[in-house]
Short mmCIF file of all heavy atoms in Angstrom, two decimals:
data_model
loop_
_atom_site.label_atom_id
_atom_site.label_comp_id
_atom_site.label_asym_id
_atom_site.label_seq_id
_atom_site.Cartn_x
_atom_site.Cartn_y
_atom_site.Cartn_z
N MET S 54 -48.71 5.49 7.40
CA MET S 54 -48.12 6.73 6.92
C MET S 54 -49.12 7.87 7.09
O MET S 54 -48.77 8.95 7.51
CB MET S 54 -47.71 6.59 5.48
CG MET S 54 -47.39 7.90 4.85
SD MET S 54 -45.90 7.77 3.96
CE MET S 54 -45.90 9.37 3.20
N VAL S 55 -50.36 7.64 6.73
CA VAL S 55 -51.38 8.68 6.80
C VAL S 55 -51.75 8.97 8.25
O VAL S 55 -52.13 10.07 8.62
CB VAL S 55 -52.61 8.28 5.95
CG1 VAL S 55 -53.74 9.27 6.13
CG2 VAL S 55 -52.23 8.11 4.51
N LYS S 56 -51.67 7.91 9.09
CA LYS S 56 -52.13 8.07 10.47
C LYS S 56 -51.30 9.13 11.20
O LYS S 56 -51.82 9.92 11.93
CB LYS S 56 -51.95 6.71 11.16
CG LYS S 56 -52.66 6.57 12.45
CD LYS S 56 -52.49 5.16 12.96
CE LYS S 56 -53.77 4.71 13.61
NZ LYS S 56 -53.71 3.38 14.17
N TRP S 57 -49.99 9.12 11.02
CA TRP S 57 -49.14 10.12 11.72
C TRP S 57 -49.40 11.51 11.18
O TRP S 57 -49.31 12.50 11.96
CB TRP S 57 -47.70 9.78 11.64
CG TRP S 57 -47.05 9.90 10.32
CD1 TRP S 57 -46.92 8.93 9.37
CD2 TRP S 57 -46.50 11.08 9.74
NE1 TRP S 57 -46.32 9.44 8.25
CE2 TRP S 57 -46.05 10.78 8.45
CE3 TRP S 57 -46.34 12.38 10.22
CZ2 TRP S 57 -45.45 11.66 7.61
CZ3 TRP S 57 -45.72 13.31 9.40
CH2 TRP S 57 -45.30 12.97 8.08
N LEU S 58 -49.73 11.62 9.91
CA LEU S 58 -50.02 12.94 9.33
C LEU S 58 -51.31 13.52 9.94
O LEU S 58 -51.40 14.68 10.26
CB LEU S 58 -50.12 12.82 7.79
CG LEU S 58 -50.41 14.10 7.04
CD1 LEU S 58 -49.24 15.11 7.26
CD2 LEU S 58 -50.64 13.85 5.60
N ILE S 59 -52.35 12.68 10.04
CA ILE S 59 -53.63 13.09 10.62
C ILE S 59 -53.40 13.48 12.11
O ILE S 59 -53.90 14.51 12.56
CB ILE S 59 -54.65 11.99 10.51
CG1 ILE S 59 -55.04 11.78 9.02
CG2 ILE S 59 -55.89 12.30 11.31
CD1 ILE S 59 -55.90 10.61 8.75
N ASN S 60 -52.65 12.70 12.82
CA ASN S 60 -52.34 13.01 14.25
C ASN S 60 -51.55 14.32 14.34
O ASN S 60 -51.82 15.13 15.24
CB ASN S 60 -51.58 11.91 14.92
CG ASN S 60 -52.46 10.71 15.23
OD1 ASN S 60 -53.63 10.88 15.49
ND2 ASN S 60 -51.89 9.53 15.24
N ALA S 61 -50.61 14.55 13.43
CA ALA S 61 -49.86 15.80 13.47
C ALA S 61 -50.75 17.01 13.21
O ALA S 61 -50.60 18.07 13.83
CB ALA S 61 -48.73 15.76 12.45
N ILE S 62 -51.67 16.83 12.27
CA ILE S 62 -52.60 17.95 11.94
C ILE S 62 -53.49 18.28 13.18
O ILE S 62 -53.66 19.44 13.52
CB ILE S 62 -53.46 17.61 10.73
CG1 ILE S 62 -52.60 17.61 9.48
CG2 ILE S 62 -54.63 18.56 10.58
CD1 ILE S 62 -53.25 17.08 8.24
N PHE S 63 -53.98 17.24 13.84
CA PHE S 63 -54.83 17.45 14.98
C PHE S 63 -54.03 18.02 16.18
O PHE S 63 -54.58 18.78 16.94
CB PHE S 63 -55.56 16.18 15.37
CG PHE S 63 -56.87 16.00 14.65
CD1 PHE S 63 -56.97 15.18 13.54
CD2 PHE S 63 -57.98 16.73 15.05
CE1 PHE S 63 -58.17 15.06 12.86
CE2 PHE S 63 -59.21 16.61 14.37
CZ PHE S 63 -59.26 15.79 13.25
N ILE S 64 -52.77 17.59 16.33
CA ILE S 64 -51.97 18.19 17.38
C ILE S 64 -51.75 19.67 17.11
O ILE S 64 -51.88 20.51 18.02
CB ILE S 64 -50.61 17.46 17.48
CG1 ILE S 64 -50.79 16.09 18.09
CG2 ILE S 64 -49.59 18.26 18.32
CD1 ILE S 64 -49.57 15.21 18.04
N ALA S 65 -51.53 20.06 15.87
CA ALA S 65 -51.41 21.47 15.55
C ALA S 65 -52.68 22.20 15.82
O ALA S 65 -52.69 23.35 16.33
CB ALA S 65 -50.99 21.63 14.08
N LEU S 66 -53.86 21.59 15.49
CA LEU S 66 -55.13 22.25 15.82
C LEU S 66 -55.36 22.37 17.31
O LEU S 66 -55.84 23.43 17.75
CB LEU S 66 -56.25 21.44 15.16
CG LEU S 66 -56.34 21.53 13.64
CD1 LEU S 66 -57.39 20.53 13.12
CD2 LEU S 66 -56.69 22.92 13.19
N TYR S 67 -55.04 21.34 18.08
CA TYR S 67 -55.18 21.45 19.52
C TYR S 67 -54.30 22.59 20.09
O TYR S 67 -54.72 23.34 20.98
CB TYR S 67 -54.80 20.13 20.21
CG TYR S 67 -55.76 18.98 19.95
CD1 TYR S 67 -55.25 17.70 19.68
CD2 TYR S 67 -57.08 19.18 19.94
CE1 TYR S 67 -56.06 16.65 19.41
CE2 TYR S 67 -57.95 18.12 19.71
CZ TYR S 67 -57.42 16.84 19.46
OH TYR S 67 -58.29 15.82 19.21
N LEU S 68 -53.06 22.67 19.60
CA LEU S 68 -52.15 23.72 20.10
C LEU S 68 -52.67 25.11 19.67
O LEU S 68 -52.58 26.05 20.48
CB LEU S 68 -50.75 23.50 19.54
CG LEU S 68 -49.98 22.31 20.17
CD1 LEU S 68 -48.66 22.11 19.45
CD2 LEU S 68 -49.76 22.58 21.65
N ALA S 69 -53.21 25.21 18.47
CA ALA S 69 -53.71 26.51 18.06
C ALA S 69 -54.90 26.96 18.92
O ALA S 69 -54.99 28.09 19.30
CB ALA S 69 -54.14 26.46 16.57
N VAL S 70 -55.80 26.00 19.21
CA VAL S 70 -56.94 26.34 20.11
C VAL S 70 -56.48 26.68 21.47
O VAL S 70 -56.95 27.64 22.11
CB VAL S 70 -57.92 25.17 20.11
CG1 VAL S 70 -58.98 25.39 21.21
CG2 VAL S 70 -58.62 25.03 18.78
N ALA S 71 -55.44 25.98 21.97
CA ALA S 71 -54.92 26.25 23.31
C ALA S 71 -54.29 27.66 23.37
O ALA S 71 -54.53 28.40 24.29
CB ALA S 71 -53.92 25.21 23.71
N VAL S 72 -53.48 27.97 22.37
CA VAL S 72 -52.82 29.25 22.39
C VAL S 72 -53.77 30.42 22.16
O VAL S 72 -53.79 31.44 22.89
CB VAL S 72 -51.66 29.31 21.34
CG1 VAL S 72 -51.13 30.69 21.16
CG2 VAL S 72 -50.55 28.35 21.76
N PHE S 73 -54.58 30.33 21.11
CA PHE S 73 -55.46 31.41 20.73
C PHE S 73 -56.80 31.41 21.48
O PHE S 73 -57.54 32.37 21.40
CB PHE S 73 -55.68 31.43 19.25
CG PHE S 73 -54.43 31.70 18.46
CD1 PHE S 73 -53.91 30.68 17.65
CD2 PHE S 73 -53.80 32.87 18.56
CE1 PHE S 73 -52.74 30.91 16.94
CE2 PHE S 73 -52.61 33.11 17.84
CZ PHE S 73 -52.11 32.11 17.05
N GLY S 74 -57.12 30.34 22.15
CA GLY S 74 -58.37 30.22 22.87
C GLY S 74 -58.26 30.40 24.37
O GLY S 74 -58.96 31.20 24.98
N ILE S 75 -57.34 29.69 24.97
CA ILE S 75 -57.20 29.74 26.39
C ILE S 75 -56.46 31.02 26.79
O ILE S 75 -56.70 31.59 27.89
CB ILE S 75 -56.51 28.45 26.92
CG1 ILE S 75 -57.37 27.27 26.64
CG2 ILE S 75 -56.22 28.55 28.42
CD1 ILE S 75 -56.78 25.94 26.96
N GLY S 76 -55.52 31.50 25.95
CA GLY S 76 -54.83 32.76 26.28
C GLY S 76 -55.75 33.92 26.54
O GLY S 76 -55.60 34.58 27.57
N PRO S 77 -56.70 34.21 25.66
CA PRO S 77 -57.61 35.31 25.94
C PRO S 77 -58.50 35.08 27.20
O PRO S 77 -58.89 36.05 27.83
CB PRO S 77 -58.53 35.35 24.67
CG PRO S 77 -57.69 34.80 23.62
CD PRO S 77 -56.85 33.73 24.29
N VAL S 78 -58.81 33.84 27.52
CA VAL S 78 -59.55 33.58 28.70
C VAL S 78 -58.76 33.91 29.96
O VAL S 78 -59.25 34.57 30.85
CB VAL S 78 -60.02 32.09 28.76
CG1 VAL S 78 -60.68 31.79 30.13
CG2 VAL S 78 -60.97 31.78 27.65
N LEU S 79 -57.50 33.57 29.94
CA LEU S 79 -56.64 33.82 31.14
C LEU S 79 -56.21 35.27 31.25
O LEU S 79 -56.11 35.80 32.36
CB LEU S 79 -55.41 32.92 31.09
CG LEU S 79 -55.68 31.43 31.19
CD1 LEU S 79 -54.39 30.67 31.07
CD2 LEU S 79 -56.32 31.08 32.51
N PHE S 80 -55.91 35.89 30.13
CA PHE S 80 -55.33 37.25 30.17
C PHE S 80 -56.25 38.33 29.72
O PHE S 80 -55.80 39.47 29.48
CB PHE S 80 -54.03 37.27 29.32
CG PHE S 80 -53.02 36.30 29.77
CD1 PHE S 80 -52.65 35.25 28.95
CD2 PHE S 80 -52.46 36.36 31.00
CE1 PHE S 80 -51.71 34.32 29.34
CE2 PHE S 80 -51.54 35.45 31.47
CZ PHE S 80 -51.13 34.41 30.61
N ALA S 81 -57.54 38.06 29.61
CA ALA S 81 -58.49 39.07 29.18
C ALA S 81 -58.70 40.11 30.28
O ALA S 81 -58.68 39.78 31.45
CB ALA S 81 -59.81 38.43 28.80
N ASP S 82 -58.89 41.36 29.87
CA ASP S 82 -59.15 42.40 30.85
C ASP S 82 -60.63 42.80 30.84
O ASP S 82 -60.98 43.85 31.37
CB ASP S 82 -58.27 43.62 30.60
CG ASP S 82 -58.41 44.14 29.22
OD1 ASP S 82 -59.07 43.51 28.37
OD2 ASP S 82 -57.84 45.22 28.89
N GLY S 83 -61.48 41.96 30.27
CA GLY S 83 -62.90 42.22 30.23
C GLY S 83 -63.60 41.74 31.46
O GLY S 83 -63.00 41.37 32.47
N SER S 84 -64.91 41.71 31.39
CA SER S 84 -65.70 41.25 32.51
C SER S 84 -65.70 39.72 32.62
O SER S 84 -65.22 39.01 31.74
CB SER S 84 -67.14 41.75 32.37
OG SER S 84 -67.72 41.10 31.21
N TRP S 85 -66.21 39.25 33.76
CA TRP S 85 -66.27 37.81 33.99
C TRP S 85 -67.16 37.13 32.98
O TRP S 85 -66.89 36.02 32.53
CB TRP S 85 -66.72 37.49 35.41
CG TRP S 85 -65.60 37.54 36.37
CD1 TRP S 85 -65.31 38.59 37.23
CD2 TRP S 85 -64.58 36.58 36.57
NE1 TRP S 85 -64.19 38.31 37.95
CE2 TRP S 85 -63.69 37.08 37.55
CE3 TRP S 85 -64.31 35.37 35.98
CZ2 TRP S 85 -62.60 36.38 37.96
CZ3 TRP S 85 -63.17 34.67 36.38
CH2 TRP S 85 -62.34 35.19 37.37
N SER S 86 -68.25 37.77 32.62
CA SER S 86 -69.14 37.15 31.62
C SER S 86 -68.47 36.99 30.27
O SER S 86 -68.75 36.04 29.55
CB SER S 86 -70.46 37.98 31.48
OG SER S 86 -70.13 39.28 30.99
N GLU S 87 -67.62 37.94 29.89
CA GLU S 87 -66.86 37.82 28.68
C GLU S 87 -65.91 36.65 28.74
O GLU S 87 -65.76 35.88 27.78
CB GLU S 87 -66.11 39.12 28.40
CG GLU S 87 -65.36 39.13 27.08
CD GLU S 87 -64.58 40.41 26.89
OE1 GLU S 87 -64.86 41.39 27.59
OE2 GLU S 87 -63.73 40.44 25.99
N ARG S 88 -65.22 36.50 29.86
CA ARG S 88 -64.30 35.35 30.04
C ARG S 88 -65.01 34.04 29.99
O ARG S 88 -64.59 33.09 29.38
CB ARG S 88 -63.55 35.50 31.35
CG ARG S 88 -62.53 36.58 31.36
CD ARG S 88 -61.79 36.56 32.68
NE ARG S 88 -60.78 37.62 32.69
CZ ARG S 88 -59.85 37.71 33.61
NH1 ARG S 88 -59.79 36.85 34.58
NH2 ARG S 88 -59.00 38.69 33.58
N ILE S 89 -66.16 33.97 30.65
CA ILE S 89 -66.92 32.72 30.72
C ILE S 89 -67.47 32.39 29.27
O ILE S 89 -67.44 31.19 28.90
CB ILE S 89 -68.06 32.80 31.73
CG1 ILE S 89 -67.55 33.00 33.12
CG2 ILE S 89 -68.99 31.59 31.63
CD1 ILE S 89 -66.71 31.86 33.62
N GLY S 90 -67.94 33.36 28.59
CA GLY S 90 -68.43 33.13 27.20
C GLY S 90 -67.31 32.62 26.31
O GLY S 90 -67.49 31.70 25.55
N THR S 91 -66.13 33.23 26.42
CA THR S 91 -64.99 32.80 25.62
C THR S 91 -64.58 31.37 26.04
O THR S 91 -64.24 30.52 25.16
CB THR S 91 -63.82 33.74 25.80
OG1 THR S 91 -64.25 35.06 25.48
CG2 THR S 91 -62.65 33.34 24.90
N ALA S 92 -64.60 31.06 27.32
CA ALA S 92 -64.23 29.73 27.79
C ALA S 92 -65.21 28.67 27.25
O ALA S 92 -64.78 27.57 26.88
CB ALA S 92 -64.16 29.68 29.32
N ILE S 93 -66.45 29.00 27.22
CA ILE S 93 -67.47 28.07 26.70
C ILE S 93 -67.26 27.80 25.24
O ILE S 93 -67.28 26.65 24.76
CB ILE S 93 -68.89 28.57 26.98
CG1 ILE S 93 -69.20 28.51 28.47
CG2 ILE S 93 -69.94 27.77 26.22
CD1 ILE S 93 -70.47 29.14 28.91
N VAL S 94 -66.97 28.83 24.45
CA VAL S 94 -66.71 28.69 23.06
C VAL S 94 -65.45 27.81 22.83
O VAL S 94 -65.44 26.93 21.98
CB VAL S 94 -66.59 30.06 22.34
CG1 VAL S 94 -66.04 29.92 20.93
CG2 VAL S 94 -67.89 30.79 22.37
N VAL S 95 -64.42 28.04 23.59
CA VAL S 95 -63.17 27.30 23.48
C VAL S 95 -63.40 25.80 23.80
O VAL S 95 -62.97 24.91 23.08
CB VAL S 95 -62.07 27.87 24.39
CG1 VAL S 95 -60.88 26.95 24.47
CG2 VAL S 95 -61.64 29.22 23.87
N LEU S 96 -64.19 25.54 24.86
CA LEU S 96 -64.53 24.18 25.19
C LEU S 96 -65.33 23.45 24.12
O LEU S 96 -65.09 22.28 23.82
CB LEU S 96 -65.26 24.10 26.57
CG LEU S 96 -64.36 24.41 27.79
CD1 LEU S 96 -65.25 24.48 29.03
CD2 LEU S 96 -63.32 23.32 27.91
N VAL S 97 -66.26 24.16 23.53
CA VAL S 97 -67.06 23.58 22.46
C VAL S 97 -66.18 23.23 21.27
O VAL S 97 -66.30 22.17 20.69
CB VAL S 97 -68.22 24.53 22.06
CG1 VAL S 97 -68.85 24.09 20.75
CG2 VAL S 97 -69.26 24.61 23.15
N ILE S 98 -65.25 24.13 20.94
CA ILE S 98 -64.34 23.88 19.82
C ILE S 98 -63.45 22.65 20.10
O ILE S 98 -63.24 21.83 19.25
CB ILE S 98 -63.48 25.12 19.52
CG1 ILE S 98 -64.35 26.22 18.92
CG2 ILE S 98 -62.35 24.82 18.56
CD1 ILE S 98 -63.67 27.54 18.80
N LEU S 99 -62.98 22.56 21.36
CA LEU S 99 -62.16 21.41 21.71
C LEU S 99 -62.92 20.11 21.70
O LEU S 99 -62.44 19.09 21.21
CB LEU S 99 -61.57 21.63 23.10
CG LEU S 99 -60.36 22.52 23.20
CD1 LEU S 99 -59.94 22.76 24.61
CD2 LEU S 99 -59.19 21.97 22.40
N VAL S 100 -64.17 20.12 22.13
CA VAL S 100 -65.01 18.90 22.11
C VAL S 100 -65.27 18.46 20.65
O VAL S 100 -65.19 17.29 20.31
CB VAL S 100 -66.33 19.11 22.83
CG1 VAL S 100 -67.34 18.05 22.60
CG2 VAL S 100 -66.04 19.25 24.35
N VAL S 101 -65.54 19.46 19.81
CA VAL S 101 -65.75 19.13 18.37
C VAL S 101 -64.47 18.55 17.74
O VAL S 101 -64.52 17.58 16.98
CB VAL S 101 -66.22 20.39 17.60
CG1 VAL S 101 -66.19 20.14 16.07
CG2 VAL S 101 -67.61 20.79 18.05
N LEU S 102 -63.31 19.12 18.07
CA LEU S 102 -62.06 18.58 17.56
C LEU S 102 -61.83 17.16 18.06
O LEU S 102 -61.38 16.31 17.28
CB LEU S 102 -60.91 19.49 17.99
CG LEU S 102 -60.57 20.68 17.13
CD1 LEU S 102 -59.43 21.51 17.74
CD2 LEU S 102 -60.22 20.26 15.74
N ILE S 103 -62.08 16.93 19.34
CA ILE S 103 -61.88 15.56 19.89
C ILE S 103 -62.75 14.56 19.20
O ILE S 103 -62.34 13.48 18.81
CB ILE S 103 -62.05 15.57 21.41
CG1 ILE S 103 -60.91 16.36 22.04
CG2 ILE S 103 -62.19 14.20 21.97
CD1 ILE S 103 -61.12 16.66 23.51
N PHE S 104 -64.06 14.91 19.01
CA PHE S 104 -64.97 13.98 18.37
C PHE S 104 -64.55 13.74 16.88
O PHE S 104 -64.63 12.61 16.39
CB PHE S 104 -66.40 14.45 18.45
CG PHE S 104 -67.05 14.14 19.73
CD1 PHE S 104 -67.66 15.15 20.49
CD2 PHE S 104 -67.14 12.83 20.22
CE1 PHE S 104 -68.24 14.84 21.72
CE2 PHE S 104 -67.75 12.54 21.43
CZ PHE S 104 -68.32 13.53 22.17
N ALA S 105 -64.10 14.81 16.23
CA ALA S 105 -63.68 14.64 14.85
C ALA S 105 -62.44 13.75 14.78
O ALA S 105 -62.31 12.92 13.86
CB ALA S 105 -63.41 15.98 14.24
N HIS S 106 -61.51 13.95 15.69
CA HIS S 106 -60.27 13.13 15.72
C HIS S 106 -60.59 11.67 15.91
O HIS S 106 -60.10 10.79 15.22
CB HIS S 106 -59.38 13.65 16.80
CG HIS S 106 -57.99 13.13 16.73
ND1 HIS S 106 -57.05 13.39 17.69
CD2 HIS S 106 -57.34 12.39 15.80
CE1 HIS S 106 -55.94 12.78 17.39
NE2 HIS S 106 -56.09 12.17 16.24
N PHE S 107 -61.50 11.38 16.88
CA PHE S 107 -61.84 10.01 17.14
C PHE S 107 -62.63 9.40 15.94
O PHE S 107 -62.47 8.25 15.60
CB PHE S 107 -62.68 9.83 18.38
CG PHE S 107 -61.86 9.91 19.65
CD1 PHE S 107 -62.31 10.60 20.75
CD2 PHE S 107 -60.66 9.26 19.74
CE1 PHE S 107 -61.54 10.65 21.92
CE2 PHE S 107 -59.89 9.31 20.89
CZ PHE S 107 -60.33 9.97 22.01
N ALA S 108 -63.46 10.19 15.33
CA ALA S 108 -64.24 9.69 14.17
C ALA S 108 -63.35 9.37 12.98
O ALA S 108 -63.59 8.40 12.27
CB ALA S 108 -65.30 10.71 13.79
N ILE S 109 -62.33 10.18 12.78
CA ILE S 109 -61.43 9.92 11.65
C ILE S 109 -60.49 8.76 11.92
O ILE S 109 -60.22 7.97 11.02
CB ILE S 109 -60.61 11.22 11.32
CG1 ILE S 109 -61.57 12.25 10.75
CG2 ILE S 109 -59.48 10.94 10.36
CD1 ILE S 109 -60.95 13.63 10.55
N MET S 110 -60.03 8.66 13.16
CA MET S 110 -59.05 7.60 13.49
C MET S 110 -59.73 6.27 13.82
O MET S 110 -59.02 5.28 13.98
CB MET S 110 -58.20 8.04 14.66
CG MET S 110 -57.32 9.26 14.31
SD MET S 110 -56.29 9.05 12.87
CE MET S 110 -55.16 7.81 13.44
N ARG S 111 -60.98 6.24 13.93
CA ARG S 111 -61.72 4.98 14.29
C ARG S 111 -61.58 3.96 13.11
O ARG S 111 -61.68 4.36 11.96
CB ARG S 111 -63.20 5.32 14.52
CG ARG S 111 -64.00 4.12 14.94
CD ARG S 111 -65.42 4.52 15.09
NE ARG S 111 -65.99 4.73 13.76
CZ ARG S 111 -67.21 5.12 13.52
NH1 ARG S 111 -68.00 5.45 14.50
NH2 ARG S 111 -67.63 5.26 12.28
N PRO S 112 -61.40 2.73 13.47
CA PRO S 112 -61.37 1.68 12.40
C PRO S 112 -62.73 1.69 11.68
O PRO S 112 -63.79 1.74 12.31
CB PRO S 112 -61.12 0.40 13.14
CG PRO S 112 -60.70 0.75 14.50
CD PRO S 112 -61.15 2.14 14.77
N LYS S 113 -62.66 1.57 10.37
CA LYS S 113 -63.90 1.61 9.58
C LYS S 113 -64.73 0.34 9.76
O LYS S 113 -65.96 0.39 9.80
CB LYS S 113 -63.57 1.78 8.10
CG LYS S 113 -62.82 3.06 7.82
CD LYS S 113 -63.70 4.25 8.06
CE LYS S 113 -62.92 5.50 7.75
NZ LYS S 113 -63.49 6.70 8.21
N TYR S 114 -64.07 -0.80 9.80
CA TYR S 114 -64.81 -2.06 9.89
C TYR S 114 -64.37 -2.81 11.15
O TYR S 114 -63.23 -3.01 11.36
CB TYR S 114 -64.53 -2.90 8.67
CG TYR S 114 -64.87 -2.24 7.38
CD1 TYR S 114 -63.91 -1.70 6.57
CD2 TYR S 114 -66.18 -2.09 6.99
CE1 TYR S 114 -64.21 -1.04 5.40
CE2 TYR S 114 -66.55 -1.46 5.82
CZ TYR S 114 -65.55 -0.95 5.02
OH TYR S 114 -65.83 -0.30 3.87
N ARG S 115 -65.39 -3.15 11.93
CA ARG S 115 -65.09 -3.97 13.12
C ARG S 115 -65.70 -5.33 12.96
O ARG S 115 -66.81 -5.50 12.45
CB ARG S 115 -65.66 -3.30 14.36
CG ARG S 115 -64.98 -2.03 14.65
CD ARG S 115 -65.50 -1.46 15.96
NE ARG S 115 -64.86 -0.15 16.15
CZ ARG S 115 -64.88 0.50 17.29
NH1 ARG S 115 -65.50 -0.04 18.33
NH2 ARG S 115 -64.30 1.66 17.42
N ILE S 116 -64.96 -6.36 13.44
CA ILE S 116 -65.46 -7.72 13.32
C ILE S 116 -65.97 -8.20 14.67
O ILE S 116 -65.45 -7.88 15.68
CB ILE S 116 -64.37 -8.65 12.79
CG1 ILE S 116 -63.96 -8.20 11.40
CG2 ILE S 116 -64.83 -10.10 12.80
CD1 ILE S 116 -62.81 -8.93 10.85
#
């Protein structure tokens, strides 16, 4: 029961990062360095979310 709730929360977080993070990278009217900086920040946020998701969903005890 808790597993699907955690997955739903992370799906919402992934979608929020995609909409509010990748959108400004694609549609920004700034310089290339601004776009690259934003893209790097978005990628770091996604990597942190992925590691957090795997850490939470990982089985606690392995035999």
